[in-house]
Amino acid sequence: MSVRIDIAGLRPERVTAVPSPLAELGMALHALSEPAHHPGLRGWATGVTARMEPHLADRMCEADFLWRTTFSDLFLPYAAVPDALPAGTLVAELDQLDRLTDEQFVDAALEFTCVLTYATQAPALLSDPAARRRALDVAASRGPQQVRFAQRLLDDPPSVRAWLRRFLEDCAGAFFDEAWARLRHQLAADARHKTELLHRRGLAEALASVSPAVTLDETGARITVDKLTDGHARVAADGLLLVPTSLGRPHLMVLHRYGWQPVLHYPVGSPELAAPASVEELTLRMAALSHPVRMRLCRHLARSAYTTSELAQVHGLSAPEVSRHLGVLKKAGLVTTRRRGRYVLHQLDVTVVARLGSDFLEGMLR
């Protein structure tokens, strides 16, 4: 399984490495929402949460599935704007976000419903009644908060866009401006290093320095990113973006949305991971994870809680098949279950998985 980016004919000068404050703000929100994904940031996350005003914390919960469940492409809006690059300041990149059409904004925001064909042209959610109903039905299965957001987004995109911009501006003032002042020099230095590698050693070495999971084939026509997901993109005139993140480790994201410029959003810096498991725990848990289907299920369950039927739909399996695999994972203590109304939700215990070692955890979260 992998994400493939066709780059035949791509000129070296069309590959750009550049930091993005808006993308890093998205990673900051993710780290605050999912601190178990980022053990090395727990101190920072605890400090930010302790200082945060209750009103801002409540607003953060209104749409946290944009950065908790998925890494919304709304945090990389320049990829949808022809000939655009990350603007370098949060205000300028929020202006780029404002340049998206309502259809682009809604399409990207509703990625968390898992009903859209990400790498191919999706139905127009604002004008297609069937696609709209399906999006609302799936949002309802995720909980009342998600369905309220989806309904509001479909009914009145401008109000949600205004709400999101105000929220991100308030986050900047509350905690992100301080973090960005500290991180931007490291990210800029890494981007300069990638640019030097591109000029002196070529694309293959620059990509290898992004991550060992990113490779260029012998023909120089295709980039492959080793991830537990399938995807395909083709570089057009706008080229390829390499965007570094410090707060996002260990996640290696690939934006390959239909009609958008491909982006590799890659981690820099060093992780700090938990201690390994005991021999008994390791034996039981690795046996549970030895099946490729359970590995793929874990990739989804690491990011959010899902019902059995949702997992069955995404993976093309029957509900009984998914239930059997979930039973093995639960017996090993890797998956937790909770009830929300009439829905039973399952989620990977990332803290437990972290004790299996950094290679496995990073593979799950890549």
Side-chain angles (χ1 to χ4, degrees), residues 299-356:
R299 182 180 184 277
H300 275 83
L301 296 171
R303 286 163 167 76
S304 185
Y306 288 89
T307 65
T308 300
S309 60
E310 285 180 311
L311 292 169
Q313 179 182 358
V314 169
H315 293 279
L317 302 170
S318 68
E321 284 181 288
V322 172
S323 293
R324 285 195 295 271
H325 288 300
L326 288 173
V328 174
L329 293 169
K330 287 167 65 177
K331 185 176 180 180
L334 297 167
V335 166
T336 61
T337 299
R338 70 180 188 274
R339 180 173 292 277
R340 179 184 288 159
R342 62 190 178 93
Y343 298 102
V344 176
L345 301 175
H346 313 280
Q347 188 164 21
L348 192 72
D349 190 330
V350 179
T351 303
V352 172
V353 174
R355 293 199 292 270
L356 295 177

Short mmCIF file of all heavy atoms in Angstrom, two decimals, residues 299-356:
data_model
loop_
_atom_site.label_atom_id
_atom_site.label_comp_id
_atom_site.label_asym_id
_atom_site.label_seq_id
_atom_site.Cartn_x
_atom_site.Cartn_y
_atom_site.Cartn_z
N ARG A 299 -4.88 1.68 11.29
CA ARG A 299 -4.56 3.00 10.75
C ARG A 299 -5.74 3.95 10.92
O ARG A 299 -5.58 5.12 11.29
CB ARG A 299 -4.18 2.90 9.28
CG ARG A 299 -3.78 4.25 8.70
CD ARG A 299 -3.39 4.16 7.23
NE ARG A 299 -2.94 5.46 6.77
CZ ARG A 299 -3.75 6.44 6.38
NH1 ARG A 299 -5.05 6.25 6.37
NH2 ARG A 299 -3.27 7.60 5.99
N HIS A 300 -6.96 3.47 10.64
CA HIS A 300 -8.14 4.32 10.84
C HIS A 300 -8.40 4.54 12.33
O HIS A 300 -8.70 5.66 12.76
CB HIS A 300 -9.36 3.68 10.18
CG HIS A 300 -9.48 3.99 8.73
ND1 HIS A 300 -8.79 3.29 7.76
CD2 HIS A 300 -10.20 4.94 8.07
CE1 HIS A 300 -9.09 3.80 6.57
NE2 HIS A 300 -9.93 4.80 6.73
N LEU A 301 -8.29 3.47 13.11
CA LEU A 301 -8.63 3.57 14.54
C LEU A 301 -7.62 4.41 15.31
O LEU A 301 -7.92 4.87 16.41
CB LEU A 301 -8.71 2.16 15.14
CG LEU A 301 -9.82 1.28 14.57
CD1 LEU A 301 -9.68 -0.15 15.07
CD2 LEU A 301 -11.20 1.84 14.94
N ALA A 302 -6.44 4.64 14.75
CA ALA A 302 -5.45 5.50 15.41
C ALA A 302 -5.84 6.96 15.33
O ALA A 302 -5.41 7.78 16.14
CB ALA A 302 -4.07 5.30 14.77
N ARG A 303 -6.68 7.30 14.37
CA ARG A 303 -7.03 8.70 14.14
C ARG A 303 -8.37 9.10 14.74
O ARG A 303 -8.58 10.27 15.03
CB ARG A 303 -7.03 8.97 12.63
CG ARG A 303 -5.62 9.02 12.06
CD ARG A 303 -5.58 8.89 10.56
NE ARG A 303 -4.27 9.24 10.04
CZ ARG A 303 -3.20 8.46 10.12
NH1 ARG A 303 -3.31 7.26 10.68
NH2 ARG A 303 -2.03 8.85 9.66
N SER A 304 -9.26 8.16 14.90
CA SER A 304 -10.56 8.50 15.45
C SER A 304 -11.29 7.22 15.81
O SER A 304 -10.82 6.11 15.53
CB SER A 304 -11.39 9.30 14.42
OG SER A 304 -12.61 9.73 14.98
N ALA A 305 -12.45 7.39 16.45
CA ALA A 305 -13.30 6.25 16.78
C ALA A 305 -14.26 5.98 15.62
O ALA A 305 -14.82 6.92 15.05
CB ALA A 305 -14.08 6.53 18.06
N TYR A 306 -14.43 4.71 15.28
CA TYR A 306 -15.29 4.32 14.16
C TYR A 306 -16.22 3.20 14.59
O TYR A 306 -15.89 2.38 15.44
CB TYR A 306 -14.45 3.84 12.97
CG TYR A 306 -13.71 4.92 12.24
CD1 TYR A 306 -12.42 5.28 12.63
CD2 TYR A 306 -14.29 5.59 11.17
CE1 TYR A 306 -11.73 6.28 11.97
CE2 TYR A 306 -13.59 6.59 10.49
CZ TYR A 306 -12.33 6.92 10.90
OH TYR A 306 -11.64 7.91 10.24
N THR A 307 -17.38 3.16 13.94
CA THR A 307 -18.29 2.04 14.14
C THR A 307 -17.84 0.88 13.26
O THR A 307 -17.09 1.05 12.30
CB THR A 307 -19.72 2.42 13.77
OG1 THR A 307 -19.79 2.69 12.37
CG2 THR A 307 -20.19 3.66 14.54
N THR A 308 -18.35 -0.31 13.57
CA THR A 308 -18.03 -1.48 12.76
C THR A 308 -18.49 -1.30 11.32
O THR A 308 -17.78 -1.64 10.38
CB THR A 308 -18.70 -2.73 13.38
OG1 THR A 308 -18.20 -2.92 14.71
CG2 THR A 308 -18.41 -3.97 12.55
N SER A 309 -19.68 -0.72 11.15
CA SER A 309 -20.20 -0.55 9.79
C SER A 309 -19.37 0.44 8.99
O SER A 309 -19.16 0.27 7.79
CB SER A 309 -21.67 -0.11 9.83
OG SER A 309 -21.80 1.13 10.51
N GLU A 310 -18.88 1.51 9.63
CA GLU A 310 -18.01 2.46 8.93
C GLU A 310 -16.73 1.79 8.46
O GLU A 310 -16.30 1.97 7.32
CB GLU A 310 -17.67 3.63 9.86
CG GLU A 310 -18.78 4.63 10.07
CD GLU A 310 -18.35 5.75 11.00
OE1 GLU A 310 -17.80 5.47 12.07
OE2 GLU A 310 -18.57 6.91 10.64
N LEU A 311 -16.12 1.00 9.34
CA LEU A 311 -14.90 0.31 8.97
C LEU A 311 -15.15 -0.68 7.84
O LEU A 311 -14.33 -0.83 6.93
CB LEU A 311 -14.31 -0.40 10.19
CG LEU A 311 -13.77 0.51 11.29
CD1 LEU A 311 -13.48 -0.31 12.54
CD2 LEU A 311 -12.51 1.24 10.83
N ALA A 312 -16.28 -1.36 7.91
CA ALA A 312 -16.62 -2.32 6.85
C ALA A 312 -16.75 -1.61 5.51
O ALA A 312 -16.28 -2.09 4.47
CB ALA A 312 -17.90 -3.05 7.21
N GLN A 313 -17.41 -0.43 5.51
CA GLN A 313 -17.61 0.31 4.27
C GLN A 313 -16.29 0.80 3.69
O GLN A 313 -16.02 0.67 2.49
CB GLN A 313 -18.55 1.50 4.52
CG GLN A 313 -18.80 2.35 3.28
CD GLN A 313 -19.70 3.55 3.57
OE1 GLN A 313 -20.15 3.71 4.69
NE2 GLN A 313 -19.94 4.37 2.58
N VAL A 314 -15.44 1.34 4.54
CA VAL A 314 -14.18 1.91 4.06
C VAL A 314 -13.26 0.82 3.50
O VAL A 314 -12.58 1.03 2.49
CB VAL A 314 -13.47 2.67 5.21
CG1 VAL A 314 -12.05 3.04 4.81
CG2 VAL A 314 -14.25 3.92 5.57
N HIS A 315 -13.25 -0.36 4.13
CA HIS A 315 -12.31 -1.41 3.75
C HIS A 315 -12.91 -2.47 2.84
O HIS A 315 -12.22 -3.42 2.46
CB HIS A 315 -11.75 -2.07 5.01
CG HIS A 315 -10.88 -1.17 5.82
ND1 HIS A 315 -9.55 -0.91 5.53
CD2 HIS A 315 -11.17 -0.40 6.91
CE1 HIS A 315 -9.06 -0.06 6.40
NE2 HIS A 315 -10.01 0.27 7.25
N GLY A 316 -14.17 -2.31 2.47
CA GLY A 316 -14.79 -3.27 1.57
C GLY A 316 -14.95 -4.65 2.17
O GLY A 316 -14.82 -5.67 1.48
N LEU A 317 -15.23 -4.71 3.47
CA LEU A 317 -15.41 -5.97 4.18
C LEU A 317 -16.84 -6.08 4.69
O LEU A 317 -17.57 -5.10 4.74
CB LEU A 317 -14.43 -6.06 5.37
CG LEU A 317 -12.93 -5.95 5.05
CD1 LEU A 317 -12.14 -5.80 6.34
CD2 LEU A 317 -12.46 -7.16 4.27
N SER A 318 -17.20 -7.26 5.12
CA SER A 318 -18.50 -7.42 5.77
C SER A 318 -18.38 -7.03 7.24
O SER A 318 -17.29 -7.09 7.83
CB SER A 318 -18.98 -8.87 5.66
OG SER A 318 -18.17 -9.72 6.45
N ALA A 319 -19.50 -6.64 7.85
CA ALA A 319 -19.48 -6.26 9.26
C ALA A 319 -19.01 -7.41 10.15
O ALA A 319 -18.23 -7.18 11.09
CB ALA A 319 -20.86 -5.76 9.69
N PRO A 320 -19.45 -8.68 9.92
CA PRO A 320 -18.93 -9.78 10.75
C PRO A 320 -17.42 -9.95 10.65
O PRO A 320 -16.75 -10.25 11.65
CB PRO A 320 -19.67 -11.00 10.20
CG PRO A 320 -20.94 -10.45 9.64
CD PRO A 320 -20.55 -9.12 9.06
N GLU A 321 -16.86 -9.76 9.44
CA GLU A 321 -15.40 -9.85 9.28
C GLU A 321 -14.70 -8.80 10.14
O GLU A 321 -13.72 -9.10 10.84
CB GLU A 321 -15.01 -9.66 7.82
CG GLU A 321 -15.26 -10.83 6.91
CD GLU A 321 -14.82 -10.52 5.49
OE1 GLU A 321 -15.51 -9.72 4.83
OE2 GLU A 321 -13.78 -11.07 5.06
N VAL A 322 -15.20 -7.57 10.07
CA VAL A 322 -14.59 -6.50 10.86
C VAL A 322 -14.72 -6.80 12.34
O VAL A 322 -13.79 -6.60 13.12
CB VAL A 322 -15.25 -5.15 10.51
CG1 VAL A 322 -14.76 -4.06 11.46
CG2 VAL A 322 -14.92 -4.75 9.07
N SER A 323 -15.88 -7.30 12.76
CA SER A 323 -16.09 -7.61 14.18
C SER A 323 -15.09 -8.66 14.67
O SER A 323 -14.58 -8.57 15.79
CB SER A 323 -17.52 -8.12 14.39
OG SER A 323 -18.46 -7.10 14.17
N ARG A 324 -14.82 -9.66 13.83
CA ARG A 324 -13.85 -10.69 14.24
C ARG A 324 -12.45 -10.09 14.44
O ARG A 324 -11.76 -10.40 15.42
CB ARG A 324 -13.81 -11.81 13.21
CG ARG A 324 -15.01 -12.74 13.24
CD ARG A 324 -14.76 -14.01 12.46
NE ARG A 324 -14.59 -13.75 11.03
CZ ARG A 324 -15.59 -13.72 10.16
NH1 ARG A 324 -16.83 -13.91 10.57
NH2 ARG A 324 -15.36 -13.49 8.88
N HIS A 325 -12.05 -9.25 13.50
CA HIS A 325 -10.74 -8.62 13.64
C HIS A 325 -10.68 -7.69 14.84
O HIS A 325 -9.67 -7.64 15.57
CB HIS A 325 -10.39 -7.86 12.36
CG HIS A 325 -10.05 -8.74 11.19
ND1 HIS A 325 -9.01 -9.63 11.22
CD2 HIS A 325 -10.63 -8.86 9.97
CE1 HIS A 325 -8.93 -10.27 10.06
NE2 HIS A 325 -9.91 -9.82 9.28
N LEU A 326 -11.74 -6.94 15.08
CA LEU A 326 -11.78 -6.06 16.25
C LEU A 326 -11.71 -6.86 17.54
O LEU A 326 -11.08 -6.43 18.52
CB LEU A 326 -13.06 -5.21 16.23
CG LEU A 326 -13.14 -4.10 15.19
CD1 LEU A 326 -14.53 -3.47 15.20
CD2 LEU A 326 -12.08 -3.03 15.45
N GLY A 327 -12.34 -8.04 17.55
CA GLY A 327 -12.28 -8.89 18.73
C GLY A 327 -10.86 -9.31 19.07
O GLY A 327 -10.47 -9.34 20.25
N VAL A 328 -10.06 -9.63 18.05
CA VAL A 328 -8.67 -10.00 18.28
C VAL A 328 -7.89 -8.81 18.85
O VAL A 328 -7.11 -8.95 19.80
CB VAL A 328 -8.03 -10.50 16.97
CG1 VAL A 328 -6.53 -10.75 17.17
CG2 VAL A 328 -8.72 -11.77 16.48
N LEU A 329 -8.12 -7.63 18.28
CA LEU A 329 -7.41 -6.43 18.74
C LEU A 329 -7.82 -6.07 20.16
O LEU A 329 -6.99 -5.66 20.99
CB LEU A 329 -7.68 -5.27 17.79
CG LEU A 329 -7.11 -5.40 16.37
CD1 LEU A 329 -7.67 -4.31 15.46
CD2 LEU A 329 -5.59 -5.35 16.38
N LYS A 330 -9.09 -6.22 20.47
CA LYS A 330 -9.57 -5.90 21.83
C LYS A 330 -9.00 -6.88 22.85
O LYS A 330 -8.62 -6.49 23.96
CB LYS A 330 -11.10 -5.92 21.85
CG LYS A 330 -11.74 -4.73 21.14
CD LYS A 330 -13.22 -4.94 20.91
CE LYS A 330 -13.99 -5.01 22.18
NZ LYS A 330 -15.45 -5.14 21.93
N LYS A 331 -8.94 -8.17 22.49
CA LYS A 331 -8.40 -9.16 23.41
C LYS A 331 -6.94 -8.86 23.75
O LYS A 331 -6.48 -9.12 24.87
CB LYS A 331 -8.51 -10.55 22.78
CG LYS A 331 -8.08 -11.68 23.71
CD LYS A 331 -8.30 -13.04 23.06
CE LYS A 331 -7.86 -14.17 23.98
NZ LYS A 331 -8.07 -15.49 23.37
N ALA A 332 -6.23 -8.28 22.79
CA ALA A 332 -4.82 -7.91 23.02
C ALA A 332 -4.68 -6.58 23.75
O ALA A 332 -3.56 -6.14 24.01
CB ALA A 332 -4.08 -7.86 21.69
N GLY A 333 -5.80 -5.93 24.03
CA GLY A 333 -5.75 -4.66 24.75
C GLY A 333 -5.35 -3.49 23.89
O GLY A 333 -4.94 -2.44 24.41
N LEU A 334 -5.50 -3.62 22.58
CA LEU A 334 -5.08 -2.57 21.66
C LEU A 334 -6.20 -1.63 21.26
O LEU A 334 -5.93 -0.54 20.76
CB LEU A 334 -4.47 -3.19 20.40
CG LEU A 334 -3.19 -4.01 20.61
CD1 LEU A 334 -2.88 -4.82 19.37
CD2 LEU A 334 -2.04 -3.11 20.97
N VAL A 335 -7.43 -2.05 21.44
CA VAL A 335 -8.59 -1.27 21.01
C VAL A 335 -9.54 -1.09 22.18
O VAL A 335 -9.79 -2.03 22.94
CB VAL A 335 -9.31 -1.96 19.83
CG1 VAL A 335 -10.68 -1.35 19.58
CG2 VAL A 335 -8.46 -1.86 18.57
N THR A 336 -10.04 0.11 22.33
CA THR A 336 -11.06 0.40 23.34
C THR A 336 -12.41 0.62 22.65
O THR A 336 -12.46 0.97 21.47
CB THR A 336 -10.69 1.65 24.15
OG1 THR A 336 -10.60 2.78 23.26
CG2 THR A 336 -9.36 1.46 24.86
N THR A 337 -13.47 0.40 23.38
CA THR A 337 -14.82 0.52 22.84
C THR A 337 -15.67 1.37 23.78
O THR A 337 -15.55 1.25 25.00
CB THR A 337 -15.47 -0.88 22.69
OG1 THR A 337 -14.69 -1.65 21.79
CG2 THR A 337 -16.89 -0.77 22.16
N ARG A 338 -16.48 2.24 23.20
CA ARG A 338 -17.43 3.02 23.99
C ARG A 338 -18.73 3.17 23.20
O ARG A 338 -18.74 3.03 21.98
CB ARG A 338 -16.86 4.38 24.34
CG ARG A 338 -16.72 5.35 23.19
CD ARG A 338 -16.15 6.68 23.66
NE ARG A 338 -16.16 7.70 22.63
CZ ARG A 338 -15.19 7.87 21.73
NH1 ARG A 338 -14.14 7.07 21.73
NH2 ARG A 338 -15.28 8.84 20.84
N ARG A 339 -19.80 3.44 23.90
CA ARG A 339 -21.09 3.59 23.26
C ARG A 339 -21.47 5.07 23.20
O ARG A 339 -21.29 5.80 24.16
CB ARG A 339 -22.17 2.80 24.02
CG ARG A 339 -23.56 2.92 23.40
CD ARG A 339 -24.55 1.99 24.08
NE ARG A 339 -24.25 0.60 23.79
CZ ARG A 339 -24.64 -0.03 22.70
NH1 ARG A 339 -25.34 0.61 21.77
NH2 ARG A 339 -24.35 -1.30 22.52
N ARG A 340 -22.00 5.50 22.06
CA ARG A 340 -22.54 6.83 21.91
C ARG A 340 -23.94 6.68 21.31
O ARG A 340 -24.11 6.45 20.12
CB ARG A 340 -21.67 7.68 20.99
CG ARG A 340 -22.22 9.10 20.76
CD ARG A 340 -21.37 9.87 19.78
NE ARG A 340 -20.10 10.26 20.33
CZ ARG A 340 -19.03 10.57 19.61
NH1 ARG A 340 -19.10 10.51 18.30
NH2 ARG A 340 -17.90 10.91 20.18
N GLY A 341 -24.93 6.79 22.17
CA GLY A 341 -26.30 6.56 21.72
C GLY A 341 -26.46 5.14 21.24
O GLY A 341 -26.13 4.18 21.93
N ARG A 342 -26.93 4.98 20.02
CA ARG A 342 -27.12 3.64 19.48
C ARG A 342 -25.88 3.15 18.72
O ARG A 342 -25.91 2.06 18.15
CB ARG A 342 -28.34 3.61 18.55
CG ARG A 342 -28.25 4.51 17.32
CD ARG A 342 -29.61 4.57 16.63
NE ARG A 342 -29.61 5.46 15.48
CZ ARG A 342 -29.38 5.05 14.23
NH1 ARG A 342 -29.12 3.79 13.99
NH2 ARG A 342 -29.42 5.91 13.23
N TYR A 343 -24.81 3.93 18.71
CA TYR A 343 -23.60 3.55 18.00
C TYR A 343 -22.53 3.06 18.98
O TYR A 343 -22.35 3.63 20.06
CB TYR A 343 -23.04 4.73 17.20
CG TYR A 343 -23.98 5.26 16.14
CD1 TYR A 343 -24.71 6.42 16.35
CD2 TYR A 343 -24.16 4.57 14.95
CE1 TYR A 343 -25.59 6.90 15.38
CE2 TYR A 343 -25.02 5.04 13.98
CZ TYR A 343 -25.74 6.20 14.20
OH TYR A 343 -26.60 6.66 13.24
N VAL A 344 -21.83 2.00 18.59
CA VAL A 344 -20.69 1.49 19.35
C VAL A 344 -19.43 1.88 18.58
O VAL A 344 -19.26 1.52 17.42
CB VAL A 344 -20.76 -0.04 19.53
CG1 VAL A 344 -19.50 -0.54 20.24
CG2 VAL A 344 -22.01 -0.42 20.30
N LEU A 345 -18.55 2.65 19.23
CA LEU A 345 -17.36 3.20 18.58
C LEU A 345 -16.12 2.50 19.10
O LEU A 345 -15.98 2.25 20.30
CB LEU A 345 -17.26 4.70 18.85
CG LEU A 345 -18.45 5.54 18.36
CD1 LEU A 345 -18.28 6.99 18.81
CD2 LEU A 345 -18.57 5.46 16.86
N HIS A 346 -15.20 2.20 18.20
CA HIS A 346 -13.95 1.55 18.53
C HIS A 346 -12.79 2.49 18.19
O HIS A 346 -12.85 3.23 17.21
CB HIS A 346 -13.79 0.25 17.72
CG HIS A 346 -15.00 -0.61 17.73
ND1 HIS A 346 -15.31 -1.45 18.78
CD2 HIS A 346 -16.00 -0.77 16.81
CE1 HIS A 346 -16.43 -2.09 18.51
NE2 HIS A 346 -16.87 -1.68 17.33
N GLN A 347 -11.74 2.45 19.01
CA GLN A 347 -10.58 3.31 18.77
C GLN A 347 -9.31 2.63 19.26
O GLN A 347 -9.32 1.91 20.26
CB GLN A 347 -10.73 4.67 19.47
CG GLN A 347 -9.66 5.68 19.09
CD GLN A 347 -10.04 7.11 19.47
OE1 GLN A 347 -10.87 7.32 20.33
NE2 GLN A 347 -9.43 8.09 18.82
N LEU A 348 -8.22 2.86 18.53
CA LEU A 348 -6.93 2.31 18.92
C LEU A 348 -6.41 3.03 20.16
O LEU A 348 -6.51 4.25 20.26
CB LEU A 348 -5.93 2.48 17.77
CG LEU A 348 -4.62 1.70 17.88
CD1 LEU A 348 -4.86 0.22 17.67
CD2 LEU A 348 -3.61 2.22 16.87
N ASP A 349 -5.88 2.27 21.10
CA ASP A 349 -5.23 2.87 22.27
C ASP A 349 -3.79 3.21 21.87
O ASP A 349 -2.90 2.35 21.91
CB ASP A 349 -5.26 1.90 23.45
CG ASP A 349 -4.81 2.55 24.75
OD1 ASP A 349 -3.99 3.49 24.69
OD2 ASP A 349 -5.29 2.15 25.83
N VAL A 350 -3.58 4.45 21.46
CA VAL A 350 -2.28 4.85 20.92
C VAL A 350 -1.19 4.75 21.97
O VAL A 350 -0.03 4.43 21.67
CB VAL A 350 -2.37 6.28 20.34
CG1 VAL A 350 -1.01 6.72 19.80
CG2 VAL A 350 -3.40 6.34 19.22
N THR A 351 -1.52 4.99 23.24
CA THR A 351 -0.52 4.90 24.30
C THR A 351 0.01 3.47 24.41
O THR A 351 1.22 3.25 24.59
CB THR A 351 -1.14 5.34 25.64
OG1 THR A 351 -1.64 6.67 25.51
CG2 THR A 351 -0.10 5.30 26.75
N VAL A 352 -0.87 2.49 24.30
CA VAL A 352 -0.45 1.09 24.34
C VAL A 352 0.41 0.77 23.12
O VAL A 352 1.46 0.13 23.23
CB VAL A 352 -1.67 0.16 24.41
CG1 VAL A 352 -1.25 -1.30 24.25
CG2 VAL A 352 -2.40 0.34 25.74
N VAL A 353 -0.02 1.23 21.95
CA VAL A 353 0.72 0.95 20.73
C VAL A 353 2.11 1.59 20.79
O VAL A 353 3.09 1.03 20.28
CB VAL A 353 -0.06 1.45 19.50
CG1 VAL A 353 0.77 1.30 18.23
CG2 VAL A 353 -1.37 0.68 19.36
N ALA A 354 2.21 2.76 21.42
CA ALA A 354 3.51 3.42 21.53
C ALA A 354 4.53 2.53 22.22
O ALA A 354 5.73 2.58 21.93
CB ALA A 354 3.37 4.74 22.28
N ARG A 355 4.06 1.68 23.15
CA ARG A 355 4.97 0.81 23.88
C ARG A 355 5.50 -0.33 23.02
O ARG A 355 6.41 -1.05 23.43
CB ARG A 355 4.29 0.28 25.14
CG ARG A 355 4.01 1.36 26.17
CD ARG A 355 3.79 0.77 27.55
NE ARG A 355 2.55 0.01 27.61
CZ ARG A 355 1.37 0.53 27.94
NH1 ARG A 355 1.27 1.82 28.22
NH2 ARG A 355 0.30 -0.23 27.99
N LEU A 356 4.93 -0.51 21.82
CA LEU A 356 5.46 -1.52 20.91
C LEU A 356 6.71 -1.03 20.19
O LEU A 356 7.43 -1.82 19.59
CB LEU A 356 4.40 -1.90 19.86
CG LEU A 356 3.15 -2.59 20.41
CD1 LEU A 356 2.17 -2.84 19.28
CD2 LEU A 356 3.50 -3.89 21.10
#
